[in-house]
Structures are given as C-alpha cells and as structure tokens.
Amino acid sequence: MLINGKAVDLDEPATFYEDRFNHGTYFSHLAQAISHAVATPSSHQMHAASIVTQSGEQFGWTEIGLLHDHLRNDAASSDRSAHEALSNGNHGQPQGLGPGGEAAGKGQQLETIMQTGTEELKIRTFDGTVTVTFSDAVIASTTRARVVCVEGEPDVFYIPFEDIYFEMLRAMDKNVHRPDWGMAHFWSVSAVGEAADDFMWAYLAPEPAAAAVANHGAFNPESAGISAVPAEHGIHSTALPDN
C-alpha cells in the first residue's frame, strides 16, 4: 500500500513523536502507532507530530488520518466478512439464539457463531455501557462493546479502539499467537501513580473466525475494573481487581 508515494506496512515497527523534540513512543506495529496517535486529545496534538517507521518512512497528521481511515475500513470489511460467514454457515443455530438455543436477551444480542479448528466461538453485541477503570481512572467507555464467548472460558468484553483512552496505555514488546485467532498484541497502563503490564490485548489482524474483534481491546480482569450496565438498568456483570 502507498500513501502519498510512501510505502506502508502496517506490521512494521514504528515510533510516534508528539513533536520533533520528543523522544517518541515505540510500537511493534505501525497500526498500533496510528491508533495511539489519533487517540491523542486535540489539545495535546502538536503540529510537528509524526510517525516514523523502522524503514525510515515518516507520516504527518494528514497521512496519519488517511492511514486511520484505512484501518477503520479494514475493520468494517472484517465485520462484513464475519456477518457473511454467519449467514453462510451457522451450524444449524438459528440467528438470535443463545448458546443453548435460548432466545438472546436484549442485553446480549447474538452476532456471530464461528467454528474454529479447536473451539466454537460466539460473539455478541452488548446493548448497554461497558466501562473499564484502573486506579480510579477511566481507561475506556463504550456503548458498542462486543462479548466473546468460548466454552470453558469466562466471557470477555472487547471495546473498539475509538472508545479507549490510549494516552494512558503503552504498547508492550509482547505478542502472543493464539491458534485460529491470530496474533494478540499487549499494552501496559499507567494512571494516578499506578502502573500494570499486560493490561490490554488486541488482535489487529485476526483470523477470519475472530474478525469481528479486529481493532478492539480486551482487558485483564486481574488489574482492570470492568463494569457492564445494560441499556435498561442494573449491572450485568462486574469484574474488579482484589484490593
């Protein structure tokens, strides 16, 4: 892919510089640097900010915006692929039914059922608000969360990058491959004088079975406070770290 004649490899390591005098924040993938840059509050966006890749390509704000649009379009295409996969083969499970064939409630509407090589993966939308906190700071808040359900594992909320406050997160030099899912990338967190590693993970380019959670972050319940409130009222589920 080319942007203004510059070669773009979204998997290439890159560094985001808030200005030309800043030491920069390193990311193991250009896609991570782009998502971090656009999450910078407008009041903190320096005119001279840029992303520089390992190969030496440099992108300013205009090009960062174009690259972010490309990522969003890719995510939208992944969503469409996931829906098409559901329509073409949902293993006899009628759309709108839960894991045991029961009707999905308003708070958790069925979106995708996919059979991977080793497990059945169910992804539901959540009709309500999901909020993630760390050390009394709000790290993410969304009304567009998705719930991933894998048999034998706790349900996991995934929040779109656009609703995550990346200024409190830092990409780690840690990637873990999960069969049938793809490569998970990890972030640490720092807020209110506290810090934690392995706080968030995300799949930037997941396998088809997990396409619906591309560019969505999930959070470690051992260090994050995760609350989910359905649109009607009341708390659906809460995961809070032990004090």
Side-chain angles (χ1 to χ4, degrees):
M1 181 175 69
L2 294 176
I3 293 289
N4 292 342
K6 301 175 183 178
V8 177
D9 178 359
L10 294 174
D11 290 326
E12 181 182 9
T15 301
F16 172 63
Y17 296 91
E18 293 184 8
D19 59 58
R20 64 181 62 138
F21 305 109
N22 189 282
H23 62 80
T25 303
Y26 173 82
F27 296 87
S28 57
H29 292 264
L30 174 59
Q32 295 173 319
I34 294 166
S35 297
H36 175 83
V38 299
T40 303
S42 57
S43 60
H44 295 165
Q45 291 181 357
M46 306 296 288
H47 176 71
S50 64
I51 292 176
V52 180
T53 66
Q54 181 174 269
S55 62
E57 294 288 5
Q58 180 171 330
F59 304 99
W61 277 121
T62 299
E63 294 163 327
I64 291 171
L66 292 173
L67 290 167
H68 185 242
D69 288 342
H70 175 79
L71 287 175
R72 289 173 62 92
N73 290 337
D74 274 358
S77 296
S78 295
D79 286 351
R80 287 193 294 271
S81 297
H83 282 289
E84 289 172 1
L86 173 62
S87 299
N88 293 334
N90 62 2
H91 314 290
Q93 182 87 317
Q95 189 168 7
L97 296 187
E102 72 278 8
K106 181 180 179 182
Q108 287 191 328
Q109 301 166 347
L110 184 61
E111 179 176 339
T112 306
I113 297 180
M114 294 292 291
Q115 183 68 49
T116 72
T118 58
E119 59 196 3
E120 187 175 71
L121 175 66
K122 301 181 178 73
I123 302 176
R124 297 177 174 86
T125 58
F126 180 74
D127 183 20
T129 301
V130 177
T131 302
V132 178
T133 59
F134 175 77
S135 189
D136 296 327
V138 175
I139 306 300
S141 183
T142 189
T143 56
R144 302 180 296 164
R146 288 169 179 169
V147 188
V148 175
C149 309
V150 176
E151 185 177 358
E153 298 181 12
D155 293 351
V156 178
F157 288 102
Y158 279 78
I159 295 179
F161 278 0
E162 293 85 352
D163 297 330
I164 298 172
Y165 304 121
F166 275 89
E167 59 265 30
M168 288 177 280
L169 302 176
R170 290 291 180 271
M172 299 176 62
D173 188 18
K174 176 179 180 179
N175 303 310
V176 176
H177 183 266
R178 179 170 181 173
D180 299 317
W181 285 65
M183 189 68 71
H185 306 275
F186 286 77
W187 283 256
S188 62
V189 65
S190 179
V192 199
E194 301 289 336
D197 288 336
D198 300 336
F199 182 75
M200 186 187 87
W201 70 89
Y203 296 90
L204 303 180
E207 298 295 331
V213 295
N215 296 316
H216 285 60
F219 297 85
N220 184 350
E222 293 184 359
S223 52
I226 306 170
S227 67
V229 181
E232 53 271 25
H233 58 75
I235 296 178
H236 166 72
S237 65
T238 303
L240 297 172
D242 294 331
N243 294 322

